[in-house]
């Protein structure tokens, strides 16, 4: 199995060799160069981190002996992989290459790895190992903000032959790269009227991870357009994520405040027209997360507006209480 | 309810007759004038007289059939029993000493109803079936009506619940059955049939009847009805035993009506019914005194040892509380004892005191690899221990960790003397906004609701959690210093956890190590700088506040009723969606035992030689007056997506109050 991975990485490395002649003449990680760039980096990383590949091939979260002990006894590697990449124990290039090669030759569990009593669920779990590894790799790659990330993840996002679950994770992982290419790709999905609703929702969530003024502006715009409850819910949560008061703490205070204010006001408007309970709940949660006092008066006005349905007014009261609690906490 | 007039009519008829001139005057009074056979009547001829003043003798024809039933005597009164049904005109003959005679016939017949159809159960809930049970035998109400157990324990030790077989296994087993008495009806015609019916159909599927004599099977499950012989009922009371094969659930409210109908030649002679109801299963809350703590002792490193936690639990266990070791090898190291069962009990009135049967809810985990599935069903099952199993391992929201019990309280003018059942679930989607819905399955929720005593079940949002359990958010703990509401809600707070980190960073201690020596080791500043993690936690805080808001509204709680403890969350991805679990050990997922809390050690940043998250927890819990002990669960539970509460289960003392008392 290791040999297949070796083959895979060799293939990617070969791309690098092929592109090496022109590598000097083009920008790194461009649409044209990213594969050869990846191959070149992979070679260097493998040399610098000799144990990394081995580590990647024995993730705890894919070992039945480990994951069957969990309270949720299923494979899952997203946090483990993120940690390994963030700490440099596994280079992002290796993660990217494994995704490019479609997990080729990865030593997933075989039926023999499962206790006799678990044979019935072994097939499901083995299938899940593959899905979970792919999800974990995508998220770790996105978080790494590696040069290849938006290319690799974008390709998965737009590949209609892939499963929706995989493409959903790709959208979120893309957002985690926080680069302009990702924002453009996610915006394309959101603008595509033929795109599946779940994918649009995931792309909104991805946009929420970017946390730039432009991504917030895009989300504000989408919050006004969103009519489907699932999209209202997604855009509300994304606004809460993008303009989270805790997440923006380290950003420029003025910029962060503008982002939060814009998000807060958009969320109040969304709350006023959200019919669905889940969408309204997500909006209230997001208002709390954004925790901007600009929403306070608007919510109070909404609560007092007798022309509004009682349900909307009640939600405004709840949102206002939650906002006040958040502001009080922040003051502490 | 009796469908024919069964009550005795009181009254009398008096006839005074003088047969011929010079004859004495014969007077006859009979009472009562109606009743059910055997009917005791009094024939009173004492008003008879002789104008000449001679002494009188009397003889009586009780049933008016023309033949005298007594010898002549000076007794002017005669008590007799009318054994048969019919209309009877009694007669008396009065004779003077010189032979003058007069006869009086009662002007009104004594109407005797043939059959006494009478079935009794312990309707007044004193543990005995006697005459005091005769009124208000149905319908069953909160105030009156007999109760019975689900016979789910194993008195014969055959490894199966007693209700699984069609036998009363022994005297102990018989004690788990409810007594019924079909009263003797000596006047019942020999040709009559006595039918005992079980209704409705939902009940007939879930109860079985035996005759006490010889524990003879009488009406099996789904049998619907059975017959007693007229001879049996003529000769004496017939004692029956009702066995609960099922319990209250979504399709049966636990009520069963048992009717005795006596018929003869197609004519209904009499009918009587009594309604019983299976006892609710009560699940004591965490503030009740603990009797036994279940925990798996794992010494085998291959299984992921928990020596630190187990040893701390055993050595620190308050006096009088037993630790029950769940075997590590028997159950493949499946340590999530909380998830596999909910401890509870059923109780019914009994002679000399209430009769209790432990009755756990088996909340099977879908490990599929030989985990704790058989702990309750095989190991714990015994003569006073039974269980209910509703199936449904398809969602982790069915597991025990997702079933909590609020302590006794009042809210909205409604009293919850046994507290209130709470489960997690909802349709609120994931933290990052993906549509998602998950609930405890209908069968199990229906079972919980059907118990009524701790309902209606309250559902709180947990669908956004990776495991999906309420104990990932909050638990109830005793408060030794509050009289009126002697408990509080310990609730996870990402805001508090972050606040402590900010405080330390503000003190220039951003480099302070968190989770020191663990695989996850990091620093204060690294955590705070992880904007995705922070944004996720701010959203999680909002979710938790939503749960808190619902608790406050439904239980009429105030902020003072909550104790926040610092916990951070992190996302995991399953099926392309994000789900949340504790990033730092979930402090609220603790083990409350009497006046002590075993608390997951958060392994937070050190500040002046103390763990800042521990310190904040201690300060916030100080008002409760509880003893606090932090225990190591990091590798043995936390990294496996659970904490201390998840790894334990507690059998509590039943409530002092009985469910059948006002």
């Amino acid at each position: 199995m290791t040999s297949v991975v070796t083959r895979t990485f060799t293939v990617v490395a070969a791309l690098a060799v092929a592109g090496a002649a022109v590598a000097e003449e083009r920008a790194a990680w461009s649409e044209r160069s990213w594969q050869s760039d990846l191959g070149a980096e992979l070679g260097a990383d493998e040399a610098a981190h000799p144990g990394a590949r081995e580590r990647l091939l024995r993730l705890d979260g894919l070992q039945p002996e480990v994951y069957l002990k969990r309270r949720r006894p299923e494979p899952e590697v997203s946090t483990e992989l993120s940690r390994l990449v963030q700490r440099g124990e596994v280079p992002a290039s290796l993660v990217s290459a494994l995704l490019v090669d479609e997990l080729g030759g990865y030593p997933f569990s075989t039926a023999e790895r499962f206790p006799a009593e678990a044979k019935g669920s072994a097939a499901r779990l083995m299938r899940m190992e593959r899905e979970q590894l792919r999800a974990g790799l995508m998220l770790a790659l996105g978080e790494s903000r590696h040069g290849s990330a938006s290319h690799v993840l974008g390709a998965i996002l737009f590949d209609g032959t892939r499963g929706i679950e995989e493409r959903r994770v790709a959208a979120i992982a893309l957002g985690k790269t926080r680069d302009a290419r990702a924002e453009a790709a996610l915006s394309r999905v959101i603008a595509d009227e033929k795109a599946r609703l779940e994918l649009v929702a995931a792309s909104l969530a991805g946009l929420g991870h970017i946390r730039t003024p432009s991504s917030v502006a895009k989300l504000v715009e989408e919050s006004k357009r969103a009519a489907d409850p699932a999209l209202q819910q997604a855009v509300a949560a994304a606004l809460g994520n993008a303009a989270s008061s805790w997440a923006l703490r380290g950003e420029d205070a003025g910029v962060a405040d503008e982002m939060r204010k814009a998000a807060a006001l958009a969320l109040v408007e969304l709350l006023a027209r959200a019919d669905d309970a889940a969408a309204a709940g997500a909006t209230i949660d997001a208002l709390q997360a954004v925790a901007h006092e600009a929403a306070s008066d608007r919510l109070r006005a909404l609560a007092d507006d007798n022309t509004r349905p009682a349900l909307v007014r009640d939600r405004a009261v709840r949102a206002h209480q939650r906002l006040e609690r958040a502001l009080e906490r922040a003051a502490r | 309810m009796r469908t024919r007039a069964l009550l005795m009519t009181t009254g009398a008829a008096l006839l005074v007759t003088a047969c011929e001139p010079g004859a004495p005057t014969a007077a006859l009074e009979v009472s009562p004038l109606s009743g059910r056979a055997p009917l005791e009547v009094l024939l009173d001829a004492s008003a008879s007289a002789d104008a000449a003043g001679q002494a009188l003798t009397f003889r009586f024809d009780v049933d008016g059939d023309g033949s005298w039933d007594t010898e002549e005597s000076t007794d002017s009164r005669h008590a007799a029993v009318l054994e048969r049904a019919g209309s009877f005109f009694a007669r008396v003959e009065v004779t003077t000493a010189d032979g003058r005679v007069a006869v009086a016939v009662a002007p009104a017949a004594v109407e005797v109803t043939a059959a006494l159809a009478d079935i009794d159960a312990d309707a007044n809930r004193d543990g005995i079936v006697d005459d005091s049970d005769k009124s208000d035998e149905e319908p069953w109400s909160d105030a009156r009506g007999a109760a019975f157990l689900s016979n789910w324990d194993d008195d014969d030790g055959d490894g199966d619940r007693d209700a699984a077989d069609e036998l009363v296994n022994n005297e102990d087993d018989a004690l788990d059955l409810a007594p019924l008495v079909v009263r003797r009806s000596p006047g019942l015609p020999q040709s009559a049939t006595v039918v005992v019916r079980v209704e409705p159909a939902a009940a007939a599927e879930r109860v079985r009847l035996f005759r006490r004599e010889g524990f003879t099977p009488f009406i099996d499950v789904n049998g619907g009805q059975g017959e007693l012989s007229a001879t049996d009922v003529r000769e004496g009371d017939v004692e029956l035993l009702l066995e609960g094969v099922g319990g209250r659930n979504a399709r049966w409210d636990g009520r069963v009506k048992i009717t005795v109908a006596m018929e003869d030649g197609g004519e209904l002679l009499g009918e009587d019914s009594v309604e019983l109801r299976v006892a609710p299963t009560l699940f004591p809350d965490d503030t009740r005194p603990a009797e036994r703590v279940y925990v798996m002792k794992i010494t085998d490193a291959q299984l992921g040892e928990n020596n630190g936690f187990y040893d701390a639990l055993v050595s620190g266990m308050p006096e009088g509380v037993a630790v029950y070791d769940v075997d590590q090898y028997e159950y493949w190291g499946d340590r999530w004892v909380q998830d596999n069962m909910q401890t509870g009990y059923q109780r019914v009135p009994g002679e000399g005191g209430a009769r209790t049967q432990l009755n756990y809810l088996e909340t099977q985990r879908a490990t599929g690899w030989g985990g704790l599935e058989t702990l309750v069903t095989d190991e714990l099952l015994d003569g006073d221990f039974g269980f209910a199993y509703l199936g449904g391992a398809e969602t982790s929201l069915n597991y025990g960790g997702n079933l909590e019990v609020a302590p006794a309280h009042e809210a909205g003018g409604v009293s919850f003397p046994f507290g209130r059942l709470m489960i997690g679930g909802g349709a609120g989607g994931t933290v990052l906004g993906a549509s998602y819905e998950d609930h405890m399955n209908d069968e199990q929720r229906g079972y919980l609701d059907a118990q009524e005593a701790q309902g209606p079940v309250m559902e709180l949002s947990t669908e956004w959690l990776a495991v999906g359990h309420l104990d990932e958010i909050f638990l109830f703990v005793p408060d030794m210093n509050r009289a009126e509401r002697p408990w509080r809600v310990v609730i996870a707070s990402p805001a508090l956890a972050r606040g402590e980190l900010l405080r330390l960073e503000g003190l220039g201690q951003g480099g302070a190590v968190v989770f020191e020596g663990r695989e996850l080791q990091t620093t204060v500043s690294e955590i705070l700088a992880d904007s995705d993690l922070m944004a996720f936690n701010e959203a999680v805080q909002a979710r938790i506040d939503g749960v808190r808001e619902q608790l406050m509204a439904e239980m009429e709680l105030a902020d003072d009723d909550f104790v926040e403890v610092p916990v951070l969350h992190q996302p995991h991805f399953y099926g392309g969606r994000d789900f949340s679990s504790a990033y730092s050990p979930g402090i609220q997922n603790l083990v409350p035992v009497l006046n002590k809390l075993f608390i997951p050690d958060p392994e937070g940043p050190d500040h002046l030689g103390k763990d800042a998250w521990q310190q904040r927890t201690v300060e916030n819990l100080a008002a409760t007056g509880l003893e606090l002990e932090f225990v190591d669960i990091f590798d043995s539970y936390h990294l496996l997506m659970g904490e201390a509460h998840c790894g334990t289960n507690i059998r509590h003392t039943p409530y002092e109050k009985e469910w059948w008392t006002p």
Side-chain angles (χ1 to χ4, degrees):
Chain A
M1 280 171 281
T2 306
S3 63
V4 181
V5 176
T6 307
R7 175 191 59 74
T8 300
F9 296 156
T10 307
V11 169
V12 177
L15 290 169
V17 174
V22 290
E24 296 287 320
E25 302 165 16
R26 67 188 176 208
W29 307 111
S30 71
E31 200 60 49
R32 272 185 63 218
S33 76
W34 72 267
Q35 287 183 316
S36 52
D37 292 338
L38 176 59
E41 186 177 302
L42 181 65
D45 283 343
E46 288 244 70
H49 303 275
R53 183 190 301 178
E54 198 55 38
R55 182 69 187 88
L56 186 58
L57 297 182
R58 54 175 178 78
L59 295 168
D60 290 346
L62 294 182
Q63 311 305 316
E65 298 80 8
V66 175
Y67 67 69
L68 285 177
K69 292 192 184 87
R70 290 178 176 166
R71 204 178 185 198
R72 179 167 180 156
E74 293 174 343
E76 207 277 338
V77 291
S78 61
T79 52
E80 182 183 359
L81 263 170
S82 293
R83 194 169 59 250
L84 289 173
V85 173
Q86 279 167 19
R87 292 180 178 176
E89 291 178 45
V90 172
S93 59
L94 204 53
V95 169
S96 190
L98 192 53
L99 271 173
V100 169
D101 193 47
E102 302 292 345
L103 320 181
Y106 195 89
F108 293 107
S109 300
T110 54
E112 294 72 38
R113 295 279 298 277
F114 294 86
E117 292 83 348
K119 296 301 181 206
S121 51
R124 177 183 68 85
L125 292 168
M126 287 190 292
R127 199 166 52 246
M128 203 173 167
E129 283 181 15
R130 185 171 291 275
E131 294 161 2
Q132 291 297 88
L133 174 61
R134 192 175 274 117
L137 290 170
M138 286 191 282
L139 291 161
L141 182 61
E143 283 170 11
S144 74
R145 306 179 75 174
H146 185 259
S148 68
S150 57
H151 299 288
V152 175
L153 297 169
I156 295 172
L157 175 64
F158 288 105
D159 184 352
T161 67
R162 293 177 184 271
I164 192 69
E165 293 180 0
E166 185 182 352
R167 296 173 72 193
R168 250 187 344 219
V169 176
I172 290 169
L174 252 181
K176 286 175 178 280
T177 67
R178 295 188 188 139
D179 72 16
R181 194 180 288 118
E183 191 170 328
L186 293 169
S187 297
R188 260 179 63 200
V189 176
I190 292 165
D192 181 359
E193 291 184 357
K194 290 180 185 166
R196 287 179 62 170
L197 202 68
E198 294 153 287
L199 204 57
V200 175
S203 297
L204 290 166
L207 215 50
H209 282 287
I210 294 179
R211 288 190 203 98
T212 58
S214 64
S215 67
V216 169
K218 177 72 183 165
L219 286 169
V220 167
E221 186 187 319
E222 290 304 320
S223 75
K224 291 172 180 158
R225 275 194 340 135
D228 187 279
L231 294 185
Q232 290 179 344
Q233 182 177 349
V235 77
L239 275 167
N241 191 6
S244 153
S245 69
W246 295 4
L248 293 176
R249 190 182 69 101
E251 304 295 323
D252 176 276
V255 173
D257 188 68
E258 282 303 314
M259 288 165 63
R260 289 172 50 223
K261 184 176 179 184
L265 298 180
L267 286 164
V268 177
E269 283 184 35
L270 185 58
L271 185 66
R273 64 187 182 86
D275 294 326
D276 178 71
T283 309
I284 292 171
D285 288 347
L287 275 161
Q288 178 177 340
V290 173
H292 198 284
E293 55 274 12
S296 186
D297 288 345
R298 298 283 183 99
L299 286 171
R300 209 178 292 125
L302 188 59
D304 293 341
D305 184 351
N306 291 326
T307 67
R308 301 280 187 176
L311 191 64
V312 171
R313 296 174 60 199
D314 178 57
R315 285 171 178 162
V317 170
R318 281 174 48 212
H320 188 261
Q321 287 169 348
R322 296 271 292 279
L323 175 61
E324 291 300 312
R325 186 181 288 279
L327 293 172
E328 185 189 312
R329 277 200 188 110
R332 269 190 253 145
Chain B
M1 190 176 72
R2 291 168 182 162
T3 54
R4 289 168 63 117
L6 298 183
L7 295 174
M8 231 173 238
T9 303
T10 57
L14 175 67
L15 180 70
V16 180
T17 305
C19 293
E20 57 191 42
T25 302
L28 179 60
E29 186 176 2
V30 185
S31 65
L33 285 177
S34 65
R36 191 177 302 282
L39 180 65
E40 190 172 329
V41 291
L42 179 66
L43 283 63
D44 184 354
S46 58
S48 303
D50 177 34
Q54 289 191 3
L56 299 173
T57 58
F58 306 85
R59 60 178 178 171
F60 297 92
D61 174 9
V62 179
D63 55 8
D65 65 352
S67 59
W68 299 109
D69 298 315
T70 64
E71 298 296 320
E72 280 190 32
S73 79
T74 56
D75 292 337
S76 60
R77 291 189 179 87
H78 175 65
V81 175
L82 289 165
E83 296 276 1
R84 293 180 298 111
S87 296
F88 303 102
F89 287 88
R91 295 187 306 149
V92 64
E93 183 185 74
V94 180
T95 306
T96 59
D98 58 3
R100 287 172 286 122
V101 176
V103 173
V105 180
V110 176
E111 300 289 344
V112 180
T113 309
L116 169 63
D118 187 9
I119 183 166
D120 294 330
D122 181 24
N124 67 354
R125 301 171 181 169
D126 64 356
I128 304 164
V129 182
D130 57 19
D131 286 347
S132 62
D133 294 305
K134 287 198 178 298
S135 64
D136 300 326
E137 292 174 309
E138 63 162 337
W140 193 97
S141 71
D142 287 344
R144 198 171 166 89
F148 60 101
L149 297 168
S150 306
N151 194 16
W152 288 339
D153 62 3
D154 180 21
D155 284 305
D156 62 344
D158 67 351
D160 253 340
R161 293 183 291 179
D162 290 335
D165 58 34
E166 293 155 13
L167 304 167
V168 178
N169 297 296
N170 49 43
E171 287 295 339
D172 282 343
D173 192 17
L175 291 172
D176 296 333
L177 278 54
L180 294 161
V181 180
V182 177
R183 296 296 178 190
R184 179 181 178 229
S185 183
L188 185 68
Q190 191 60 49
S191 56
T193 56
V194 181
V195 176
V196 178
R197 288 198 307 268
V198 181
E199 298 167 301
E205 291 170 13
R206 295 172 175 86
V207 300
R208 189 180 278 135
L209 285 167
F210 298 89
R211 292 186 63 155
R212 179 181 284 281
E213 189 179 358
F215 298 144
T216 314
F218 180 45
I219 302 175
D220 202 354
V221 169
N222 282 322
Q225 66 177 45
E227 270 190 35
L228 298 171
S229 76
T231 305
D232 286 343
V233 181
R234 283 163 58 92
E235 289 178 354
D237 290 348
V238 178
E239 292 184 60
L240 301 175
L241 295 169
L242 183 141
E243 178 179 49
V245 174
R248 298 184 187 187
N249 63 33
R251 289 180 296 283
W252 182 47
D253 67 2
R255 291 169 201 259
V256 56
K257 182 172 162 181
I258 308 293
T259 300
V260 173
M262 296 173 170
E263 297 175 10
D264 191 17
E267 182 193 352
L268 181 65
L269 303 177
E271 191 173 271
D272 186 28
S273 300
V274 62
E275 191 169 63
L276 300 89
R277 194 173 188 194
V278 70
T281 298
L282 293 172
F283 302 98
D285 66 85
D286 273 335
T287 66
R288 297 289 304 153
E291 294 178 343
R292 174 192 282 186
V293 177
Y294 298 93
V295 62
M296 181 174 283
K297 177 180 185 178
I298 310 174
T299 54
D300 189 331
Q302 293 282 318
L303 295 173
E305 57 89 9
N306 69 345
N307 293 320
F309 173 65
Y310 179 84
D311 292 346
L313 201 67
V314 170
S315 63
M317 190 58 63
E319 199 174 334
V321 181
V323 173
Y324 186 100
D325 285 342
V326 178
D327 187 78
Q328 58 184 326
Y329 296 115
E330 182 72 26
Y331 303 107
W332 288 80
D334 185 4
R335 67 204 62 207
W336 309 113
V337 186
Q338 179 65 217
D339 287 348
N340 203 62
M341 59 191 183
Q342 186 71 26
T343 61
Y345 67 93
Q346 263 185 336
R347 192 172 250 188
V348 292
E351 191 170 356
R355 178 159 181 77
T356 305
Q357 178 183 279
L358 294 177
N359 192 344
Y360 289 9
L361 174 61
E362 157 79 8
T363 50
Q364 185 172 307
R365 278 164 43 75
T367 65
W369 49 279
L372 288 168
E373 284 93 331
T374 55
L375 172 66
V376 169
T377 59
D378 292 13
E379 183 174 326
L380 299 182
L381 179 68
D382 72 13
D384 288 311
F385 181 102
F387 67 90
Y389 174 48
L390 283 303
E394 70 276 10
T395 167
S396 65
L397 273 64
N398 283 345
Y399 304 166
N402 194 33
L403 173 55
E404 297 302 327
V405 187
H409 64 281
E410 287 187 11
V414 179
S415 176
F416 297 90
F418 304 102
R420 189 167 174 191
L421 297 177
M422 297 178 165
I423 60 174
T430 70
V431 171
L432 293 179
S435 294
Y436 186 72
E437 178 171 5
D438 200 3
H439 304 273
M440 181 175 282
N441 77 2
D442 290 344
E443 196 68 27
Q444 190 164 301
R445 177 163 184 169
Y447 163 83
L448 295 172
D449 266 324
Q451 306 311 311
E452 291 183 6
Q454 295 175 295
V457 172
M458 186 195 303
E459 186 185 62
L460 297 145
S461 172
T462 61
E463 70 280 12
W464 50 278
L465 291 158
V467 179
H469 292 183
L470 282 179
D471 66 357
E472 295 176 85
I473 305 175
F474 70 88
L475 278 184
F476 294 94
V477 302
D479 186 322
M480 315 297 284
N481 296 324
R482 298 210 304 185
E484 193 175 334
R485 187 172 267 174
W487 47 266
R488 292 198 207 221
V489 187
V490 179
I491 193 163
S493 171
L496 195 61
R498 175 178 174 268
E500 285 302 305
L501 299 182
L502 285 172
R503 188 172 66 84
L504 291 184
E505 195 177 56
L507 293 170
Q509 294 180 26
V513 175
V514 182
F515 313 142
E516 186 169 7
R518 303 291 184 180
E519 199 183 335
L520 300 181
Q521 179 174 312
T522 182
T523 66
V524 167
S525 292
E526 281 174 3
I527 293 174
L528 290 172
D530 186 339
S531 58
D532 275 350
L533 184 67
M534 288 296 101
F536 190 78
N537 272 280
E538 192 163 25
V540 166
Q541 182 65 65
R543 285 300 181 99
I544 292 174
D545 283 346
V547 170
R548 175 184 173 132
E549 191 177 68
Q550 189 180 344
L551 285 172
M552 292 176 83
E554 297 216 31
M555 295 179 68
E556 294 185 348
L557 301 182
D559 281 339
D560 185 42
D561 293 316
F562 290 84
V563 176
E564 292 184 345
V565 290
V567 180
L568 289 173
H569 273 236
Q570 66 185 341
H572 294 272
F573 281 78
Y574 293 95
R577 296 186 182 90
D578 62 291
F579 293 93
S580 184
S581 76
Y583 170 67
S584 61
I587 294 173
Q588 86 296 333
N589 195 288
L590 41 75
V591 186
V593 183
L594 300 180
N595 60 346
K596 181 168 184 176
L597 301 181
F598 294 93
I599 304 173
D601 185 345
E603 307 204 11
D606 180 86
H607 176 56
L608 302 175
K610 289 182 176 172
D611 178 326
W613 283 340
Q614 266 196 24
Q615 197 57 24
R616 177 46 66 102
T617 301
V618 168
E619 287 167 16
N620 287 5
L621 280 165
T624 63
L626 296 167
E627 182 186 348
L628 311 179
E629 180 177 344
F630 289 93
V631 288
D632 170 18
I633 47 78
F634 205 94
D635 289 336
S636 52
Y637 293 92
H638 175 62
L639 291 185
L640 298 172
M641 302 175 79
E643 323 285 354
H645 185 257
C646 311
T648 55
N649 215 315
I650 298 179
R651 189 178 86 193
H652 299 94
T653 305
Y655 293 98
E656 281 84 20
K657 179 178 169 58
E658 305 295 3
W659 60 263
W660 60 86
T661 57

